[in-house]
């Protein structure tokens, strides 16, 4: 069976975890966490990078940093993971879902402005499949309406928009290092705090509402409970696993991109015949091969496609059920405007096996099965 995902393992993880254990410092913010923070800050130019226990908790921190109050409105796509919505719904926000663009499956930036009301506080672009949203336009809308921007860059680690790393453009960016993402620590994530006014508060929120980070830097002589907060920091064991992968981030990225390109080359002829639709990467965007998806012509065809591939030992999977049609989405949100593509295109979308180390042989098996389905 060719799995849909295999968590990345590059080799040094065992050594680093052993090192973390031997250091007798296995709680958060030890040597490996610091190395991960420094890597993210140097490589991406994050103002402040802080590891979290998941991409979801990174989004929770972002919602706290935005100081979301009951009744505030947050604009986001409906075609996303529940976490994007949860983090704001927890604090009483009303979710305002906006349709996606069919080419990237990202929020349609041209529809955002009409969804803004006097209650709107935050826009949450989700960089689907690691392909950037139209950030210049989104940031301009946010600036003109005095809104904050939280990038859900859970899938966008190592991707760029006009040369700028995803997660470093909005006020806060959120990364995931879940085992299904390009770089992993099992469960984990990070926030990239870009708004200078949020940096100190981010450290406090993450350390149970205390000014412990300042204390460790010798900036205060005792630490105290100064604000609300929670424990958002992961164990050193997880950070050690992640650091091994960040060290070879380019190798992982290139390996995935190669598989992505091979799929793309193989499937473009099917697209030219009008049998399927393929992902589009806009000119200014460099993606990270987080995902390779195709769109079948209908939901029925997709169901048949997935079982056809399964019979040939290939695990292909569909993705999000749009949040606005889910029970919690109905309760906490509303769809603004027409649902032209969110439901129709999510019904057609199917993801193919994609992971670091996918072999040529397995990739060819996938390609052959897809072509067979379309009698090619
Ligand atoms: C994976 C993902 C998350 C959540 O990350 P976890 O680390 O699994 O909590 C949030 N948003 C998007 C778009 C994701 O893909």
């Amino acid at each position: 069976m060719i799995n849909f995902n295999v968590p990345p393992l590059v080799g040094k993880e065992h050594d680093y975890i052993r090192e973390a254990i031997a250091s007798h410092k296995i709680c958060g913010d030890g040597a490996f966490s610091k190395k991960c923070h420094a890597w993210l800050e140097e490589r991406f130019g994050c103002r402040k990078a802080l590891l979290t226990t998941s991409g979801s908790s990174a989004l929770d921190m972002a919602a706290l940093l935005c100081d979301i109050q009951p009744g505030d409105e947050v604009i986001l796509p409906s075609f996303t993971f529940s976490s994007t919505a949860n983090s704001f719904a927890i604090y009483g926000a009303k979710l305002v879902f906006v349709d996606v663009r069919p080419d990237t499956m990202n929020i349609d930036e041209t529809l955002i402005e009409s969804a803004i009301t006097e209650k709107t506080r935050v826009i949450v672009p989700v960089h689907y499949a690691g392909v950037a949203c139209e950030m210049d336009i989104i940031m301009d809308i946010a600036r003109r309406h005095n809104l904050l921007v939280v990038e859900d860059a859970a899938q966008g680690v190592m991707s760029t928009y006009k040369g700028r790393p995803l997660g470093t453009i909005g006020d806060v960016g959120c990364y995931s290092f879940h085992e299904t993402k390009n770089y992993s620590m099992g469960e984990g994530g990070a926030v990239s705090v870009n708004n200078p006014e949020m940096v100190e508060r981010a450290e406090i929120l993450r350390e149970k509402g205390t000014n412990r980070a300042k204390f460790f830097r010798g900036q205060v002589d005792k630490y105290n409970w100064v604000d609300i907060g929670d424990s958002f920091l992961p164990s050193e064991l997880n950070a050690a696993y992640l650091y091994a992968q960040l060290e070879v981030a380019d190798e992982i990225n290139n390996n995935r991109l190669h598989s992505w390109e091979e799929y793309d080359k193989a499937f473009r002829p099917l697209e030219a015949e009008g049998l399927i639709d393929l992902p589009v990467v806009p000119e200014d965007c460099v993606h990270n091969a987080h995902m390779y998806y195709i769109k079948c012509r209908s939901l029925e065809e997709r169901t048949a496609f997935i079982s056809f591939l399964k019979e040939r030992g290939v695990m292909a999977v569909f993705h999000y059920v749009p949040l606005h049609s889910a029970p919690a989405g109905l309760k906490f949100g509303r769809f603004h405007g027409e649902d032209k593509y969110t439901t129709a295109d999510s019904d057609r979308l199917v993801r193919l096996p994609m992971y670091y180390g996918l072999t040529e042989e397995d990739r060819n098996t996938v390609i052959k099965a897809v072509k067979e389905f379309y009698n090619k």
Side-chain angles (χ1 to χ4, degrees):
M1 187 59 97
I2 302 171
N3 288 316
F4 167 67
N5 177 62
V6 176
L9 181 70
V10 297
K12 284 242 182 108
E13 289 89 345
H14 304 95
D15 290 345
Y16 287 176
I17 289 173
R18 216 174 283 123
E19 226 179 276
I21 293 170
S23 75
H24 302 295
K25 167 85 184 166
I26 57 169
C27 68
D29 282 351
F32 284 105
S33 297
K34 289 194 177 108
K35 283 180 180 183
C36 292
H37 294 161
W39 190 94
L40 290 165
E41 286 167 9
E42 279 159 28
R43 178 74 192 235
F44 297 156
C46 309
R47 187 180 298 271
K48 185 85 195 167
L50 294 166
L51 292 181
T52 58
T53 48
S54 64
S56 305
S57 64
L59 285 157
D60 290 344
M61 267 189 71
L64 281 166
L65 285 169
C66 293
D67 205 15
I68 293 295
Q69 299 298 318
D72 287 351
E73 291 184 359
V74 174
I75 295 174
L76 72 167
S78 170
F79 184 70
T80 184
F81 194 52
S82 59
S83 299
T84 319
N86 265 330
S87 297
F88 296 93
I90 283 172
Y91 300 107
K94 184 90 187 164
L95 309 170
V96 178
F97 299 113
V98 168
D99 208 10
V100 290
R101 301 162 38 150
D103 58 347
T104 57
M105 298 304 281
N106 283 335
I107 190 166
D108 186 337
E109 67 281 357
T110 66
L111 302 174
I112 291 174
E113 202 146 14
S114 71
I116 294 171
T117 72
E118 58 202 21
K119 294 197 171 142
T120 308
R121 295 279 323 285
V122 186
I123 306 172
V124 190
V126 178
H127 305 297
Y128 187 69
V131 176
C133 296
E134 199 39 76
M135 289 307 292
D136 276 352
I137 293 172
I138 293 170
M139 295 308 292
D140 177 63
I141 295 169
R143 233 172 269 124
R144 283 189 286 106
H145 293 271
N146 200 19
L147 307 176
L148 295 168
V149 173
V150 172
E151 291 179 77
D152 183 339
Q155 302 174 12
V157 178
M158 292 286 278
S159 297
T160 58
Y161 171 80
K162 299 189 180 174
R164 287 139 80 200
L166 300 190
T168 67
I169 304 167
D171 295 277
V172 191
C174 302
Y175 300 125
S176 169
F177 300 118
H178 185 260
E179 75 164 34
T180 52
K181 301 302 200 287
N182 294 24
Y183 309 90
S184 183
M185 53 201 282
E187 298 277 357
V191 285
S192 162
V193 187
N194 310 311
N195 181 333
E197 286 168 24
M198 291 177 170
V199 170
E200 189 176 334
R201 184 137 193 261
E203 290 184 327
I204 290 168
L205 289 173
R206 183 166 165 276
E207 272 280 24
K208 304 95 184 169
T210 70
N211 56 356
R212 204 166 145 148
K214 261 188 158 169
F215 172 71
F216 284 134
R217 286 196 295 263
Q219 291 164 327
V220 287
D221 56 13
K222 59 179 188 291
Y223 76 82
N224 219 336
W225 182 34
V226 294
D227 198 350
I228 55 165
D230 208 330
S231 184
F232 288 108
L233 58 172
S235 150
E236 274 291 286
L237 304 180
N238 299 56
Y241 192 100
L242 178 67
Y243 189 62
Q245 298 181 18
L246 294 182
E247 276 188 318
V248 293
D250 289 300
E251 184 193 321
I252 293 176
N253 201 38
N254 292 336
N255 181 280
R256 297 184 72 111
L257 282 166
H258 177 67
S259 286
W260 197 99
E261 297 292 345
E262 292 295 317
Y263 276 149
D264 206 56
K265 256 191 279 172
F267 301 140
R268 284 291 158 192
L270 299 179
E271 183 191 46
E273 282 189 58
L275 297 169
I276 54 173
D277 289 317
L278 295 180
V280 172
V281 180
E283 195 152 334
D284 294 328
C285 306
V286 176
H287 73 108
N288 60 358
H290 174 62
M291 191 189 297
Y292 197 90
Y293 64 82
I294 72 169
K295 288 184 198 159
C296 299
R297 284 168 296 193
S298 66
L299 176 59
E300 295 69 34
E301 187 178 278
R302 182 181 75 178
T303 306
F305 178 87
I306 290 173
S307 46
F308 183 91
L309 263 60
K310 200 170 178 186
E311 281 162 24
R312 279 148 191 81
V314 176
M315 289 299 292
V317 293
F318 57 82
H319 214 179
Y320 311 124
V321 173
L323 298 182
H324 73 281
S325 60
L330 292 167
K331 190 166 162 194
F332 300 117
R334 66 181 160 83
F335 199 95
H336 174 83
E338 191 192 344
D339 171 11
K340 228 168 155 176
Y341 298 110
T342 298
T343 302
D345 280 42
S346 68
D347 275 351
R348 302 196 292 129
L349 189 146
V350 53
R351 299 175 291 160
L352 300 178
M354 171 59 76
Y355 49 86
Y356 169 70
L358 176 63
T359 64
E360 186 180 355
E361 189 190 345
D362 284 352
R363 200 170 54 231
N364 287 337
T365 303
V366 178
I367 291 170
K368 188 160 163 268
V370 173
K371 286 184 168 171
E372 262 173 35
F373 181 79
Y374 289 101
N375 298 314
K376 298 291 157 191

